[in-house]
Structure formats: C-alpha cells, structure tokens
Amino acid sequence: MIEKEINIQFKEYLGITSLEEDDRLLILEARKAIEGSYSPYSKFKVGSAIRIETGEIILGANQENIAYPSGLCAERVVLFYAGTKTDNVESIAIACQNEKGEWVESYPCGACLQVMLETEKRANKKLRIIVQISSEHFNIFEGVNSLLPFGFSF
Ligand code: THU
C-alpha cells in the first residue's frame, strides 16, 4: 500500500480591492445576480457570473421547484446558458446569501463541479473559480481540478 496525498492550491484575497479588476467586477456581478434567485424553499440565494472570452458577462441564479430535485444550482444555470453561446468560458464567480441577507461561504456542489470539468474540456483550458467567502474574503481556484481532483471521465 502506498499512502498518497493531494495538495490543493488556491489564492486567498482579503479585501475586495485586493482582487484584480476583472475578478472584482465579476464578483460584483455575481452579487447582483442574486436578485434573480428563485428560492422560496431553501431561502438560500446563490448568484453566479461568468466571463467569456469576448469579455461578455453572463449571470445566473439558483432556481427552485416544489418538486425539489427539479430545481437547479446557480452555477449550472449560468454554465448551461453560457454553453449555448460559446465554448470559451474563462471564469465563474459565486456569491451566496442566507435568509437574513448575509453573505455566506459556500462552494460549488459536486454536480456543478462535474459540469465545470466539461466546461474546461470545451474551452480546452482551466476554468477560474472565484468563490466569495464573506463580503471581504475571496478564494480563487485556477482550475476545477483543485476542487474536484477525481472528476468523472471516460
Ligand atoms: N445551490 C446552488 O445554487 N449552488 C450550489 O453549488 C449548491 C446549492 C442552491 C440549490 C438550492 O436552491 C439552494 O442552493 C439550497 O441548496
């Protein structure tokens, strides 16, 4: 038996002004995208913003349904919509808000990460994932591999 270890690398930014301008704008758009959240059941709002190669920004938010599994996460809403326009997605930013309207930490779920892997495959490059941890704390992952090292593939 060989015991193995995986190291995850990411960049932590403290203070929104410490982000590069493009990333700061994308996070601000993800925050705005929260307005499009339809989440009467969980009352948990997720906003996502994607930058494609032309610089265009596309927004999405979680959409729920009374038949719970029929809803969809913000990330997949925006990733699938972006996929109707281009193969060249560069970055995705995610911001979450709880019932009290507070910004809270939340990472993309496993299903969304698997879809992000496909996005990388289509773009033939790493996807940058910008996660808002709190209003002044952001983590940036350069590639899905950091969050999903063993994604499904065949
Ligand atoms: N949600 C997302 O939008 N993204 C995730 O990665 C995980 C969860 C949504 C789904 C549901 O509307 C709410 O958050 C609570 O699970």
Side-chain angles (χ1 to χ4, degrees), residues 26-141:
L26 206 59
I27 273 289
L28 292 174
E29 290 295 315
R31 287 183 184 179
K32 259 194 240 162
I34 287 265
E35 289 164 24
S37 169
Y38 176 69
S39 42
Y41 305 105
S42 72
K43 300 187 172 33
F44 189 78
K45 297 180 180 178
V46 185
S48 53
I50 274 180
R51 181 184 301 282
I52 63 174
E53 85 289 1
T54 57
E56 189 190 339
I57 291 176
I58 301 169
L59 305 185
N62 56 329
Q63 303 294 310
E64 298 185 350
N65 189 279
I66 193 161
Y68 289 5
S70 305
L72 198 63
C73 296
E75 295 90 329
R76 273 176 289 163
V77 167
V78 75
L79 284 161
F80 288 143
Y81 181 53
T84 68
K85 293 177 167 259
T86 182
D87 281 334
N88 294 310
V89 173
E90 297 195 330
S91 320
I92 181 166
I94 301 134
C96 302
Q97 213 170 56
N98 66 16
E99 202 172 343
K100 294 186 213 157
E102 298 162 334
W103 295 117
V104 289
E105 168 177 0
S106 188
Y107 287 92
C109 75
C112 289
L113 291 172
Q114 183 66 42
V115 171
M116 288 181 199
L117 268 189
E118 197 76 22
T119 303
E120 286 191 334
K121 193 171 155 186
R122 285 174 71 169
N124 199 25
K125 66 178 175 218
K126 285 184 183 291
L127 174 69
R128 301 181 60 255
I129 306 164
I130 307 161
V131 180
Q132 176 172 268
I133 306 299
S134 69
S135 60
E136 294 291 335
H137 178 180
F138 310 88
N139 287 340
I140 300 188
F141 299 83

